[in-house]
């Protein structure tokens, strides 16, 4: 059987079709760019530091009212911020008054009295200021055992709200009312609160606010 002959035009047509078909295929993938700078993440933002406005001063039971830069109430937050301090078990230091001791047994205050440090049984805490002030305010006895020391806050109805340490100054906020026995009880009550707060925080000065007002203003007889 004779094979059909292909004309020259037919050969040229097949060749052209083969060449055109070889030019098509899947598109080349777009090159991946590696030179673009990464967008900044939220974690790279720098938090603004908290300013500390209180300068270290020497503690004195007769200190004047705190400067206006100190907040009159504890910072309002949805949740209390963690202290970051390790939990520990240790005695608390509470200050009481030695009447007419004239500075022999401790810091001299008011009407010739002294403030004397006492210690409690060991308790568990992280922030020592709250438990120390709380223990002082919870004592509803005037006489401190057989020590001869006096607690002039025993009739007062006060509660601890919070505290803040700025440098070497501890600021505490209380709510409630004082119930004191006379003029000499004013420096005694102030001294008990301030020195107990300083002992708990390691501060060298203290500022006390009661119902948002400085303690000197609250206890003023004017």
């Amino acid at each position: 059987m004779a094979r059909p002959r292909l004309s020259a035009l037919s050969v040229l047509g097949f060749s052209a079709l083969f060449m055109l078909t070889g030019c098509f295929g899947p598109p080349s993938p777009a090159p991946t760019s590696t030179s673009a700078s990464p967008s900044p993440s939220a974690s790279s933002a720098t938090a603004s530091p908290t300013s500390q406005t209180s300068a270290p001063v020497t503690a004195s039971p007769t200190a004047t009212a705190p400067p206006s830069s100190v907040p009159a109430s504890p910072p309002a937050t949805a949740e209390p911020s963690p202290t970051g301090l390790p939990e520990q078990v240790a005695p608390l230091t509470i200050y009481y008054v030695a009447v007419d001791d004239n500075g022999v047994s401790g810091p001299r205050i008011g009407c010739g009295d002294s403030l004397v440090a006492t210690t409690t049984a060991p308790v568990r805490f992280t922030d020592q200021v709250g438990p120390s002030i709380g223990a002082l305010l919870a004592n509803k006895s005037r006489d401190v055992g057989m020590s001869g020391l006096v607690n002039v806050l025993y009739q007062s109805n006060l509660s601890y709200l919070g505290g803040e340490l700025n440098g070497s100054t501890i600021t505490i906020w209380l709510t409630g009312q004082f119930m004191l026995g006379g003029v000499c009880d004013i420096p005694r009550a102030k001294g008990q609160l301030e020195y107990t707060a300083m002992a708990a925080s390691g501060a060298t000065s203290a500022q006390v606010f009661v119902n948002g007002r400085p303690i000197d203003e609250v206890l003023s007889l004017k």
Side-chain angles (χ1 to χ4, degrees):
M1 181 180 222
R3 296 182 180 179
R5 294 184 178 180
L6 297 177
S7 65
L9 291 176
S10 298
V11 174
L12 291 174
F14 278 113
S15 301
L17 179 60
F18 178 78
M19 293 174 63
L20 289 174
T21 304
C23 292
F24 290 91
S28 301
T32 302
S33 174
T34 58
S35 60
S37 299
S39 58
S41 62
S43 62
S44 62
T46 302
S48 58
T50 302
S51 61
Q52 297 181 352
T53 58
S54 302
V57 295
T58 303
S60 172
T62 58
T64 58
S68 58
S69 60
V70 177
S73 60
T77 55
E79 296 181 0
S81 58
T83 61
L85 300 174
E87 186 178 69
Q88 56 182 306
V89 177
L92 303 175
T93 299
I94 313 295
Y95 274 84
Y96 294 108
V97 180
V99 177
D100 297 329
D101 187 67
N102 202 31
V104 174
S105 304
R108 186 181 185 278
I109 58 167
C111 303
D113 306 319
S114 300
L115 287 170
V116 180
T118 67
T119 56
T120 68
V123 300
R124 187 181 302 275
F125 60 83
T126 52
D127 173 17
Q128 192 173 350
V129 178
S132 297
I133 297 296
L136 172 61
L137 299 178
N139 186 356
K140 297 305 179 182
S141 298
R142 181 183 183 276
D143 298 320
V144 184
M146 302 297 292
S147 64
L149 301 178
V150 172
N151 173 29
V152 301
L153 294 167
Y154 76 105
Q155 296 183 101
S156 298
N157 181 23
L158 297 168
S159 299
Y160 175 79
L161 293 179
E164 183 178 16
L165 180 64
N166 285 324
S168 58
T169 298
I170 180 67
T171 301
I172 62 172
W173 291 272
L174 308 176
T175 184
Q177 294 181 334
F178 286 96
M179 183 69 68
L180 303 178
V183 176
C184 287
D185 274 2
I186 293 177
R188 293 166 182 166
K190 181 182 176 183
Q192 282 189 249
L193 290 166
E194 289 182 342
Y195 274 81
T196 299
M198 287 189 290
S201 62
T204 57
S205 64
Q207 296 173 338
V208 181
F209 288 84
V210 182
N211 301 325
R213 299 164 58 197
I215 190 173
D216 287 332
E217 181 180 320
V218 173
L219 295 179
S220 175
L221 297 178
K222 296 180 182 180

